[in-house]
Amino acid sequence: MTAEARERLLALRAQAEARVQATAATLDELTHDRAGSNDDDEHDPEGVTLSSEWSRLTGLAEAAASELHQVDEALARLDAGAYGLCANCGRPIPAGRLEARPFAEYCVSCAEKLGR
């Protein structure tokens, strides 16, 4: 299970890192394209406003960064021999939960109690 879990986590990490880089590049491009412009995009009927696009991209960037962090923590638990064990009660995390959420830190019961 350890090799399989590591492979899956590394694939998730690569995907999350790619999303972090892509959203950062898009945000940089948006900033560059709008630099020095004083257009009133809030009233532009041709598309989304700058603020809504900025908010959308920022949300995507934060979600990708959060997932990357969670995957890195799961890899650290794997290296420490604690992967698949609930960080709260120490019992094994069910395989179905790890399949759905490979970076799960808590078993279902503890996650519900902790609101995670």
Side-chain angles (χ1 to χ4, degrees):
M1 174 180 155
T2 302
E4 186 178 305
R6 181 176 303 283
E7 185 177 314
R8 186 155 186 221
L9 288 168
L10 289 174
L12 283 173
R13 188 182 194 294
Q15 293 168 3
E17 181 140 25
R19 285 195 317 274
V20 166
Q21 292 174 358
T23 53
T26 305
L27 280 167
D28 286 347
E29 186 177 305
L30 183 63
T31 301
H32 179 269
D33 289 349
R34 300 300 293 187
S37 175
N38 59 1
D39 293 343
D40 182 10
D41 79 332
E42 297 301 319
H43 298 97
D44 182 2
E46 299 298 319
V48 298
T49 63
L50 176 63
S51 59
S52 64
E53 183 65 3
W54 188 269
S55 293
R56 183 186 75 81
L57 289 170
T58 301
L60 291 172
E62 289 172 359
S66 176
E67 184 174 332
L68 183 60
H69 179 72
Q70 290 176 66
V71 170
D72 284 342
E73 287 182 339
L75 285 165
R77 287 192 303 277
L78 188 66
D79 291 340
Y83 181 78
L85 299 176
C86 179
N88 189 53
C89 69
R91 291 186 300 229
I93 298 172
R97 178 160 171 79
L98 288 174
E99 176 141 348
R101 191 175 167 90
F103 41 81
E105 188 175 357
Y106 303 102
C107 67
V108 176
S109 178
C110 288
E112 288 174 351
K113 288 177 194 171
L114 298 169
R116 302 202 178 195

